[in-house]
Amino acid sequence: MKPARSLTDLVAAGLMTEADAAAMAGVADRYAVALTPYVLDRLAGAAPDDPVAVQYIPAPAEAYSTEDELADPIGDHSHSPVKGIVHRYPDRVLLKPLHACAVYCRFCFRREMVGPGGDALSAGELDAALAYVRSRPEIWEVIVTGGDPFLLAPRRLRAIVQAVAAMGHVGVIRFHTRIPVADPARVTPELVAALRADGIASWVAVHVNHAAEMTPEAAAAAARLADAGIPLLGQSVLLKGVNDEAAVLEALFRALVRNRIKPYYLHHPDLAPGTSHFRPSVERGQDLVDALRGHVSGLCQPTYVLDIPGGHGKAPIGRCAIETHGGDGHGIRDYQGRRHRYPG
Ligand code: SF4
């Protein structure tokens, strides 16, 4: 089976009608479409509201942007001193060696930047990006993202890891990827080995939004990484129509922890163009996070965060459980909503 890279391919796969494809030609011209053979196989016969299908199949609502939406919602460009680097916080940088992905998520926060061909860094540009990191001893963590860095050949991944490890001042290299759930066979022992080097800790953050994505194949891919000693984090986006129910989030986070993936962030969706149909209210997100507290262990609870538009960084946006009563101590809310006093 071949990847689907167009609306025509989606019609041929039975995932879209010809009428819908005709209505969405403009959407597909603007935002890349791709589903891997693995995802296509997984979606065979799926209903249109399947929680995995709606993450990848274009929808008519993508044609409409709200006034608040931004082409670069988290301000990558304004924090990019060198091509391929985003330096937003003092002690860490994003390194973006490519802007291509195996699948294109319809809610992607970088949807104006990612696509086939993906503006990969040339060898010289990658050298310049690495030189930027090398010359700044305050950089302790390098987050390799994109696009999806696991699309790179193991040889190229290994070269990046070795170069960063050799700098000496970088303690952690972290990869952000959707590949373990989008094309798990690509997580080969060779790729896993390429991620590790002496003198640096390698972490992998896996983007997963629904428990249904943690298939036996995805679980095996995660296991190959975890068994190699690579700690795994889960990054999830709160998405209307995919996971905006407490039971669905609970199942997702339990599935991640069961597979040795610690849920790290639950992202409120960014203001990417044409994605308002995916965005629940912040209050809805807070209610969902509150509903999980106490009912699943801390292992299963990520931090609910929002990237402040314009590139001002992440902020935790869950409700605070503590209130200060002037000089008279604090009020603390337990997981059942009851209030208790805490002195001091
Ligand atoms: S894998 Fe990540 S970068 Fe690629 S389309 Fe999905 S959200 Fe965007």
Side-chain angles (χ1 to χ4, degrees):
M1 193 186 294
K2 290 183 177 168
R5 298 200 176 278
S6 66
L7 299 182
T8 308
D9 291 345
L10 293 177
V11 172
L15 291 169
M16 182 176 278
T17 65
E18 288 197 8
D20 282 346
M24 279 184 285
V27 166
D29 284 347
R30 181 161 180 190
Y31 304 117
V33 174
L35 284 75
T36 58
Y38 167 82
V39 172
L40 285 172
D41 186 51
R42 154 81 186 71
L43 292 181
D49 63 351
D50 178 283
V52 178
V54 299
Q55 295 183 56
Y56 300 129
I57 309 291
E62 292 178 51
Y64 304 101
S65 290
T66 66
E67 280 184 5
D68 297 329
E69 290 176 343
L70 302 163
D72 179 16
I74 68 167
D76 278 359
H77 289 315
S78 56
H79 291 83
S80 181
V82 177
K83 188 172 180 186
I85 292 284
V86 177
H87 198 174
R88 208 183 316 272
Y89 303 96
D91 78 330
R92 55 206 180 275
V93 293
L94 303 184
L95 171 62
K96 301 196 289 184
L98 78 172
H99 276 118
C101 301
V103 285
Y104 290 105
C105 310
R106 308 320 300 169
F107 48 85
C108 176
F109 64 126
R110 294 198 176 112
R111 62 189 331 215
E112 298 278 356
M113 306 172 206
V114 296
D119 195 20
L121 296 185
S122 66
E125 289 166 341
L126 180 58
D127 284 347
L130 292 170
Y132 178 88
V133 179
R134 192 177 294 112
S135 65
R136 284 166 177 77
E138 70 273 22
I139 297 174
W140 179 77
E141 183 173 8
V142 172
I143 300 159
V144 189
T145 181
D148 198 315
F150 277 18
L151 279 187
L152 295 173
R155 166 183 58 82
R156 296 184 64 196
L157 284 170
R158 186 179 306 109
I160 291 172
V161 175
Q162 298 283 344
V164 173
M167 293 176 192
H169 61 276
V170 179
V172 173
I173 186 164
R174 183 187 350 150
F175 295 87
H176 282 196
T177 179
R178 193 113 161 93
I179 290 287
V181 297
D183 192 6
R186 200 176 177 96
V187 185
T188 59
E190 191 187 4
L191 181 145
V192 173
L195 303 178
R196 301 199 60 192
D198 289 341
I200 198 164
S202 300
W203 290 62
V204 170
V206 189
H207 172 181
V208 194
N209 301 316
H210 195 281
E213 294 176 273
M214 287 309 302
T215 60
E217 293 88 348
R224 287 193 285 281
L225 291 159
D227 288 348
I230 297 176
L232 302 178
L233 300 169
Q235 297 227 83
S236 305
V237 186
L238 180 62
L239 296 167
K240 210 192 262 185
V242 174
N243 59 18
D244 61 333
E245 297 292 339
V248 175
L249 285 178
E250 178 180 333
L252 166 62
F253 299 141
R254 286 191 194 278
L256 292 177
V257 173
R258 186 73 185 78
N259 285 288
R260 293 179 281 172
I261 303 171
K262 166 72 183 97
Y264 176 41
Y265 282 142
L266 174 64
H267 295 267
H268 194 80
D270 294 310
L271 296 172
T275 63
S276 60
H277 55 298
F278 280 116
R279 288 199 295 277
S281 68
V282 169
E283 289 71 26
R284 176 69 181 153
Q286 291 174 322
D287 288 345
L288 291 168
V289 169
D290 278 354
L292 291 180
R293 196 161 70 91
H295 297 280
V296 293
S297 82
L299 269 182
C300 296
Q301 294 182 44
T303 305
Y304 179 36
V305 294
L306 175 78
D307 267 282
I308 302 169
H312 304 286
K314 287 184 179 58
I317 59 168
R319 289 193 184 100
C320 187
I322 187 165
E323 54 196 38
T324 303
H325 294 157
D328 190 27
H330 300 84
I332 313 256
R333 183 170 47 88
D334 71 21
Y335 78 98
Q336 293 175 310
R338 296 173 304 206
R339 295 193 181 272
H340 308 269
R341 185 172 176 281
Y342 184 82

